[in-house]
Structure formats: C-alpha cells, structure tokens
Amino acid sequence: MNINKNYDLVGITFSFLCGIHCIITPVLIINFPKLGEKFESPWVQSTLLLLIGGIFYQSVIKSFKFHRSNLTLGLGFSGFLILTYTYLNELLGDHHTHIENAHHHHQDETFTIILAIVGSVLMISSHLFNIKNCKCIKKNKIN
C-alpha cells in the first residue's frame, strides 16, 4: 500500500496544480498575453487531465478492492468528471463572443473556473481519504 500512498501524494500535487492553473490562467492572459496563451494551451490542460486520471486509477481505483470506500471512489469520480467537463467546455466552447455578450461570457468563465476548482478539491479529498483508508487496512492486518 506504500506505493499507493506515493501515487496519492502525486495525485494531490497534480490536482492542486490543476486548481492553481485555473486561477492563474486568466490573470496571465490579462497581464502577460503571450505567456497566458501558452499556459491556456489545450496541451497543458489535456496533459494535466490525463495525469490526474491515470494517477487516480493507479491509487484510488486499484485500492478500492481493499478498502471498499464508496465515498473515496465517489469523490474521485465526481471530481474527475467535473474536470473533464470543464476541459471539454473550454476546448469546445464559444470563445468568440460579441461585445454585447461579454458580460454573459465573463459569467461563464467564472463559473467554469469555480467548477474546475471544485473538481480539484474533490480529487484531493479522494486521495486524502484513500491514504486514510489504506492506513486503516494496514493497521487491521497488523492486529
């Protein structure tokens, strides 16, 4: 189970970076457009999402057969689905709004950022519960 703890720590780190990415990207686009464009790249977003998904599989999903915690699994799946939705919304969404729709576009962007942060927090929570659940299993095997 120690290997899973390492995956969980890496998963927490990438989920945290995903949340930071969502917060910082709009600031970079406004203040440093060239850097912001690179930071907003679909490659960066898809790489983060794939890493988060792969690590979630390696840690939480593989550990589920031992701890059977539906909460841990549910938090992770919910978080990953939210992150996937926000990624696809960003990738496929209409970013060429007209000036009269600027206020509505800003609300959509804000909602997407908040949703992505919620997804990141759910993923982090899933990994923290997974660490806790795996420690309990280890303790019970010793006793």
Side-chain angles (χ1 to χ4, degrees):
M1 292 291 175
N2 195 24
I3 291 174
N4 282 351
K5 181 180 176 186
N6 292 337
Y7 278 119
D8 283 315
L9 295 175
V10 172
I12 290 168
T13 302
F14 277 108
S15 296
F16 178 76
L17 288 174
C18 183
I20 294 298
H21 173 264
C22 293
I23 294 168
I24 283 184
T25 299
V27 174
L28 288 176
I29 289 171
I30 292 168
N31 295 311
F32 307 101
K34 294 279 186 201
L35 180 61
E37 285 176 18
K38 289 180 183 177
F39 211 65
E40 190 182 32
S41 160
W43 290 104
V44 172
Q45 294 173 348
S46 58
T47 300
L48 268 174
L49 189 63
L50 287 172
L51 285 170
I52 288 169
I55 293 165
F56 174 68
Y57 173 78
Q58 283 296 98
S59 61
V60 177
I61 293 175
K62 283 189 171 183
S63 298
F64 178 74
K65 62 184 172 187
F66 299 108
H67 60 62
R68 297 280 187 216
S69 171
N70 290 326
L71 176 64
T72 303
L73 193 62
L75 288 170
F77 269 126
S78 298
F80 189 71
L81 285 174
I82 289 171
L83 290 175
T84 301
Y85 168 79
T86 58
Y87 167 72
L88 291 174
N89 186 47
E90 188 70 24
L91 188 65
L92 304 173
D94 183 19
H95 297 290
H96 301 65
T97 57
H98 300 290
I99 199 73
E100 62 268 7
N101 294 332
H103 179 69
H104 179 69
H105 178 70
H106 176 70
Q107 287 176 330
D108 288 348
E109 283 288 319
T110 302
F111 178 72
T112 301
I113 291 167
I114 291 169
L115 204 56
I117 292 167
V118 168
S120 294
V121 169
L122 289 173
M123 292 300 297
I124 291 168
S125 300
S126 177
H127 285 293
L128 290 172
F129 275 112
N130 198 51
I131 291 169
K132 179 183 172 239
N133 292 332
C134 289
K135 281 183 185 177
C136 290
I137 293 168
K138 200 173 195 180
K139 233 185 247 187
N140 288 337
K141 284 186 178 180
I142 293 172
N143 292 334

